[in-house]
Amino acid sequence: MENKHHNIPGHVAVIMDGNGRWAKKRGLDRTSGHIEGVSAVRRVIDAAVKSGVRVVTLYTFSEENWNRPPEEVNALMDLLLRTVRKEVPDLVEKRIRLRVIGDLSRIPEAPRLAMEEALRETETEEARLTLVLALNYSSQTEIVHAFNALRQEGGTSEVTAEDVTRHLYAPDLPFPDLLIRTGGELRISNFLLWQLAYSELYFTDTFWPDFGEEDFRKALDDYASRQRRYGRTGDQVEDSGED
């Protein structure tokens, strides 16, 4: 896939929404939507590699998702286990490095161990793409974690934004340039609240299982057409030499 613009986001974050509604529309159970959603993940990973995106972060399972019916949660954990085991060889072949943000301690043992093994197997210094899974993730919890870490460090100096960033789950990763949310909802849902401060937001009505390479390209094209101002006026951006 070749994007017609040269302004490619380095980091794309995705809220993968609409699996359940996709399944309901077809008279299927919600688990069928989640299973079909895995195919969309594959398509987006391939599209991201082709386009030159370097980091993709997927909102895989939130802390709030534990409140779903137990049978759905169990199905999601089983799907996570099977998907990780199946996809790792392909990730290694394509030089895609897997990372995780969130608290893995609550994840059942089998998928947790499979995920930890996948992190080791895909670790490389020559990754074409870093794929970050937000798993048992809450942005508010992440920010509280950062402040507690700063508190434990002690000292009397004033806390800066850089201090907080340094104690996030993955402080070495660049903040997202673009957030994509599928499924027609217009909210952030406790996802990367600190990191999304100046990200461009893109919402689409397309349910996640239907989201494909063409949809991803449209999101990148929309991003490329925007002028990122970071709180400045248009004149200030023009004066700074930015396109």
Side-chain angles (χ1 to χ4, degrees):
M1 175 183 65
E2 290 223 3
N3 193 286
K4 63 183 179 181
H5 301 285
H6 297 293
N7 186 18
I8 302 297
H11 183 175
V12 177
V14 185
I15 299 177
M16 305 177 290
D17 195 17
N19 291 343
R21 284 171 288 158
W22 180 92
K24 182 179 180 180
K25 186 177 179 181
R26 289 160 176 77
L28 305 171
D29 60 80
R30 291 177 60 87
T31 299
S32 299
H34 298 310
I35 293 172
E36 191 64 30
V38 174
S39 297
V41 170
R42 296 191 191 101
R43 293 192 296 268
V44 165
I45 290 173
D46 288 342
V49 170
K50 291 177 184 177
S51 67
V53 172
R54 300 309 304 272
V55 182
V56 171
T57 298
L58 303 177
Y59 204 2
T60 308
F61 191 89
S62 72
E63 284 188 4
E64 292 79 11
N65 286 156
W66 294 110
N67 296 320
R68 293 185 177 187
E71 58 272 16
E72 183 177 357
V73 172
N74 292 337
L76 284 168
M77 291 297 110
D78 182 64
L79 180 60
L80 175 65
L81 173 61
R82 290 186 284 112
T83 301
V84 168
R85 287 177 172 172
K86 180 180 179 180
E87 299 298 330
V88 164
D90 191 53
L91 295 179
V92 171
E93 181 181 349
K94 294 178 178 177
R95 286 190 286 122
I96 296 173
R97 183 183 181 186
L98 188 64
R99 302 266 309 261
V100 172
I101 56 175
D103 180 10
L104 283 181
S105 65
R106 194 177 175 184
I107 301 298
E109 183 178 28
R112 176 172 50 80
L113 292 178
M115 182 63 67
E116 291 172 351
E117 178 64 22
L119 296 177
R120 290 190 291 270
E121 290 185 22
T122 62
E123 187 171 4
T124 175
E125 297 298 326
E126 300 179 350
R128 298 171 67 194
L129 175 75
T130 297
L131 175 64
V132 185
L133 303 183
L135 189 58
N136 191 27
Y137 177 84
S138 157
S139 186
Q140 291 177 334
T141 298
E142 179 181 28
I143 294 169
V144 169
H145 163 83
F147 275 96
N148 282 331
L150 285 167
R151 183 181 180 185
Q152 291 175 5
E153 284 185 354
T156 58
S157 61
E158 183 175 290
V159 173
T160 67
E162 289 74 18
D163 293 328
V164 176
T165 297
R166 183 164 48 88
H167 289 88
L168 297 176
Y169 291 142
D172 59 308
L173 292 178
F175 287 178
D177 301 293
L178 172 65
L179 169 72
I180 299 171
R181 179 168 187 149
T182 64
E185 301 292 345
L186 307 178
R187 58 179 180 271
I188 305 302
S189 297
N190 198 14
F191 183 48
L192 302 176
L193 301 177
W194 185 271
Q195 297 91 327
L196 291 175
Y198 284 103
S199 302
E200 297 294 320
L201 309 181
Y202 179 86
F203 300 99
T204 174
D205 291 335
T206 302
F207 293 146
W208 178 248
D210 291 328
F211 195 84
E213 183 171 338
E214 180 67 15
D215 300 287
F216 191 75
R217 182 192 62 78
K218 288 180 180 178
L220 297 193
D221 286 347
D222 184 81
Y223 170 86
S225 70
R226 303 184 189 184
Q227 188 178 64
R228 302 184 73 188
R229 295 191 171 92
Y230 300 96
R232 297 167 294 187
T233 67
D235 288 342
Q236 287 174 318
V237 172
E238 187 176 351
D239 291 341
S240 72
E242 297 185 19
D243 293 333

